[in-house]
Amino acid sequence: MNLTRRQKGLLGIAFVCFLIIISWIGLSKFFPESNSFRYLPDRIYRIIKIVFGGDPSGSGLETENVPLELIIAKICAIGILLFGAYKIIQKVFSEQFNLMKASFKKNHLISIGISKKGRQLFKSLKDDYQKQGIAIEKETEHADINAVKKQGHLVIIGNAEDENTLIEAGIKRASTLIVFLENEQTVIEIIESVQDIYDKSKCQNELLCFLHISNPRLIDLVKNTGIHFQNNQIQLRFFNIHKMLARQFFSQIPLDMQKVGKSIADINKIVFLGYGDFAKAMLVQALRIFHTSVENDLQISIYSDHADKDRNYFSEQYPKADKIFPVRFHKFEGTFNEMIEKEEVMNKGDQTLFITAFDQDQANLNAGLELLEKTQNANFPIYVLNAEGKGLRKLINYSTDTDRIKFFGQMEEICNLEFITGQKQDKLAQAIHDDYRKLLSGASSESEKYTSDWLTLSEDAKDASRAQADHIPYKFLLTNKSWPVADPNQVSFSTEEIETLAIIEHNRWMAHRYINGWDFGESRNDELKLHPSLIPWEILSESEKQKDRDTILRIKILLNS
């Protein structure tokens, strides 16, 4: 019979307990004198020796006239031995103890993988929700295991693709599963293993699964396979940490400018130094929402180590992006003077949003400080991606010489449970989608791809509502209104403001379509991605213009909802 790790561990623990019990009974029979309190230390001492392989019948009890000092010394020695025995047993049986504790867990959270992001997620779980979860980690010597354990969470070592490991973590009793891995194929393998467990055992437990998947096409593929409909107890949700950070960053920019009394419309150029995963998501978000004037004249520059390769891949992935804003890729070889001169940041720094977004924090900090040094006479802020280094951020924030450095992307902000589940970030977007469905009232002009409920909606359609929601703060600040809104009932726009914002809204809507590969067509065709409204505002029909005006007018309703 094949025993599981938990069964083997429980047998080992039971054997040690059995050995202690029979040793205690045997000593009471072989040395009746040891039944008295006077010889209790000696009895414990002998049991420890027996557990570690000593002779249970060896050496007699000490004599009555042993000095009190020696008895105290022996008791102290016993304490040291007990502590050592505890540490050894803890080391040997720690995994078994964890498995045993896990078997009593119910309605708990399980997270796959202990990276820096996973560690922060568990910290959020404890600090924000006062709950303890279970982490599954493949590497036995992972650097962050102890940090997670110190927070009171259980760590189970094993491969989460293996059904036994998931069962040991209590997947059939858990309420939430978060798969926080970079390898998307592994993410899919894990959720299939979970599905198999539930199907085989006919488990009726309700499980909410959050999967970290960056590729929107893969998300739609998983949805379309119906994997989460085979068992109604398993519900799939998807999140992309890069996209979520990009949305958070561009929601903060208008507030930063509001604080210093500047208009968001003053920005006419965005410069990215570095083109890592976060920068790629931020570029797409900028194309989606950074529409701040009717002229739509923003320019975007990317400085990366592999400019030609990055340019070709971007053009292949977003072939219509050049219809939104001009995006220029430049080779960055570690020299700043040429870039500073080319982008005219000394003269137009106030009109430029400068972002360092390499994959490594150290590279971003070095670039930010170097740029700060070379632009001492300028006053524009430099946004630096910095996931770690909390102490360093505090140090720089306290320095008046480096107040132009603005950190973003902190792990403690983007890797909390609420951020990952998207409950807060998508709240307004979901309200926009629900409002849109009500307005359609069963109209057949819109495809089901854009009118289904939020949970089954395609990523493209979700992103359409997200982009609309993310642009609302821009609309307020473009009309010199404060954000956030204290009382939505007091929101009002003049006729001139409505017309201006409607034009900007039309440009923003077209940008989202272009990002997803749509183009102009005389009649709408969802298969070929053609739409008759992908034309400049000036030649748009009056009925289509009114739709954009209505979008502005309904902002008050959306904020109230």
Side-chain angles (χ1 to χ4, degrees):
M1 181 178 64
N2 293 327
L3 298 178
T4 65
R5 284 192 305 170
R6 178 161 47 192
Q7 291 170 335
K8 292 176 182 177
L10 290 174
L11 284 176
I13 295 171
F15 175 75
V16 172
C17 292
F18 173 74
L19 181 60
I20 292 173
I21 291 171
I22 63 171
S23 299
W24 184 272
I25 296 172
L27 286 171
S28 68
K29 292 180 178 180
F30 194 71
F31 298 108
E33 303 94 330
S34 67
N35 291 326
S36 64
F37 182 77
R38 160 69 178 77
Y39 289 107
L40 181 61
D42 188 85
R43 193 171 186 177
I44 296 173
Y45 181 75
R46 290 174 180 279
I47 288 176
I48 294 173
K49 288 178 64 178
I50 292 170
V51 170
F52 286 94
D55 182 4
S57 62
S59 70
L61 301 176
E62 70 252 6
T63 59
E64 280 283 351
N65 60 354
V66 174
L68 178 64
E69 292 81 0
L70 291 181
I71 294 176
I72 294 173
K74 190 168 188 176
I75 292 173
C76 292
I78 290 172
I80 294 172
L81 286 173
L82 283 173
F83 179 76
Y86 166 75
K87 298 301 289 186
I88 292 172
I89 292 173
Q90 185 187 49
K91 184 72 174 177
V92 173
F93 292 105
S94 62
E95 188 174 349
Q96 284 70 31
F97 280 130
N98 283 340
L99 293 174
M100 185 171 65
K101 291 177 184 177
S103 65
F104 294 102
K105 288 279 188 180
K106 190 175 182 181
N107 296 324
H108 56 288
L109 179 145
I110 301 173
S111 180
I112 311 297
I114 305 180
S115 59
K116 292 176 181 177
K117 302 182 186 74
R119 182 185 68 192
Q120 187 60 41
L121 168 64
F122 278 107
K123 185 176 185 301
S124 165
L125 182 65
K126 180 183 178 183
D127 294 347
D128 301 336
Y129 297 89
Q130 291 75 51
K131 292 183 179 180
Q132 295 177 341
I134 296 179
I136 299 178
E137 174 54 46
K138 195 173 184 179
E139 299 178 20
T140 57
E141 301 298 326
H142 195 284
D144 292 310
I145 286 179
N146 287 334
V148 172
K149 286 182 176 179
K150 285 179 181 178
Q151 294 169 4
H153 306 289
L154 298 179
V155 178
I156 292 179
I157 303 300
N159 186 353
E161 297 173 61
D162 180 23
E163 292 183 15
N164 287 331
T165 303
L166 292 167
I167 292 172
E168 289 170 350
I171 194 66
K172 292 192 285 187
R173 302 181 306 278
S175 63
T176 308
L177 172 68
I178 298 179
V179 187
F180 212 153
L181 303 175
E182 295 297 331
N183 189 317
E184 295 178 341
Q185 183 173 333
T186 303
V187 173
I188 301 301
E189 293 291 338
I190 289 171
I191 197 60
E192 285 183 348
S193 295
V194 173
Q195 185 70 62
D196 289 341
I197 292 171
Y198 270 61
D199 287 343
K200 290 175 184 176
S201 62
K202 294 181 172 53
C203 181
Q204 297 301 307
N205 179 63
E206 293 186 0
L207 181 67
L208 190 57
C209 301
F210 293 91
L211 311 181
H212 184 252
I213 298 181
S214 302
N215 190 335
R217 296 178 182 84
L218 182 57
I219 292 176
D220 291 337
L221 178 63
V222 174
K223 286 182 177 179
N224 293 334
T225 60
I227 187 172
H228 56 311
F229 294 122
Q230 296 172 15
N231 189 310
N232 292 329
Q233 278 65 46
I234 298 178
Q235 298 183 45
L236 298 191
R237 304 286 188 273
F238 302 90
F239 69 99
N240 177 351
I241 202 73
H242 307 116
K243 181 193 293 186
M244 294 158 77
L245 180 137
R247 293 179 63 198
Q248 184 193 53
F249 175 82
F250 281 107
S251 69
Q252 184 62 37
I253 291 299
L255 301 180
D256 288 351
M257 300 201 70
Q258 182 179 243
K259 287 178 183 177
V260 296
K262 291 184 179 179
S263 171
I264 193 72
D266 293 337
I267 301 296
N268 56 33
K269 182 182 289 186
I270 299 178
V271 178
F272 288 95
L273 179 54
Y275 195 55
D277 289 334
F278 283 115
K280 293 172 184 175
M282 291 169 70
L283 171 58
V284 174
Q285 182 69 357
L287 292 170
R288 276 199 177 103
I289 71 160
F290 215 90
H291 300 267
T292 59
S293 67
V294 294
E295 291 83 7
N296 213 35
D297 56 358
L298 183 75
Q299 299 178 32
I300 301 177
S301 295
I302 313 289
Y303 287 82
S304 70
D305 298 333
H306 309 285
D308 291 339
K309 181 180 177 182
D310 292 334
R311 180 191 302 109
N312 294 337
Y313 182 74
F314 177 77
S315 298
E316 184 179 81
Q317 197 171 15
Y318 305 102
K320 312 294 182 184
D322 59 339
K323 295 189 176 187
I324 309 170
F325 300 128
V327 180
R328 304 288 181 258
F329 285 83
H330 307 280
K331 176 75 172 177
F332 180 70
E333 297 178 339
T335 56
F336 290 81
N337 292 335
E338 181 181 353
M339 176 186 61
I340 291 172
E341 183 178 350
K342 182 181 292 186
E343 301 301 335
E344 301 180 273
V345 293
M346 293 303 295
N347 300 323
K348 300 181 179 179
D350 289 344
Q351 303 169 27
T352 303
L353 184 60
F354 205 102
I355 306 163
T356 67
F358 292 99
D359 281 328
Q360 296 81 23
D361 283 354
Q362 188 63 50
N364 290 319
L365 180 62
N366 291 343
L369 293 175
E370 186 71 18
L371 185 65
L372 187 71
E373 174 67 23
K374 292 185 178 298
T375 59
Q376 292 185 31
N377 296 326
N379 60 4
F380 64 91
I382 304 166
Y383 287 88
V384 176
L385 176 61
N386 184 263
E388 295 289 315
K390 197 173 188 179
L392 179 62
R393 293 197 296 270
K394 286 184 178 179
L395 178 66
I396 290 182
N397 287 337
Y398 286 138
S399 171
T400 57
D401 296 332
T402 55
D403 59 352
R404 288 171 54 203
I405 297 287
K406 307 292 183 184
F407 289 115
F408 71 96
Q410 288 78 36
M411 204 68 74
E412 58 266 25
E413 293 181 5
I414 65 174
C415 289
N416 59 65
L417 191 58
E418 184 178 78
F419 193 80
I420 288 172
T421 58
Q423 293 173 351
K424 185 175 181 180
Q425 201 175 38
D426 274 346
K427 193 173 183 180
L428 184 54
Q430 188 170 350
I432 288 173
H433 177 67
D434 292 342
D435 183 64
Y436 177 64
R437 294 176 72 194
K438 290 177 184 176
L439 289 175
L440 285 176
S441 300
S444 58
S445 60
E446 186 63 277
S447 69
E448 187 178 344
K449 181 180 179 182
Y450 293 92
T451 58
S452 62
D453 66 89
W454 180 260
L455 294 180
T456 58
L457 204 61
S458 70
E459 281 302 295
D460 288 354
K462 281 186 176 181
D463 284 341
S465 295
R466 287 166 178 156
Q468 184 177 337
D470 294 343
H471 198 266
I472 288 178
Y474 287 73
K475 291 181 172 70
F476 273 79
L477 298 181
L478 286 171
T479 51
N480 297 317
K481 294 176 175 61
S482 62
W483 180 268
V485 178
D487 183 5
N489 292 315
Q490 300 300 317
V491 173
S492 64
F493 297 102
S494 68
T495 303
E496 184 180 349
E497 288 173 338
I498 291 171
E499 193 70 10
T500 300
L501 293 179
I503 297 172
I504 294 173
E505 172 62 19
H506 178 64
N507 290 335
R508 186 208 60 75
W509 173 84
M510 287 199 301
H512 176 75
R513 292 286 180 168
Y514 285 140
I515 287 171
N516 288 285
W518 287 69
D519 208 344
F520 170 76
E522 292 291 344
S523 59
R524 177 167 176 169
N525 188 318
D526 286 3
E527 293 298 322
L528 299 178
K529 293 188 174 182
L530 299 176
H531 203 294
S533 296
L534 284 168
I535 52 177
W537 175 266
E538 294 76 18
I539 57 176
L540 199 63
S541 69
E542 189 59 31
S543 62
E544 291 298 314
K545 287 181 178 180
Q546 190 57 44
K547 288 181 181 179
D548 291 311
R549 297 182 188 115
D550 290 341
T551 297
I552 308 305
L553 293 169
R554 294 189 70 78
I555 288 177
K556 179 192 292 188
I557 298 172
L558 292 169
L559 293 179
N560 269 316
S561 69

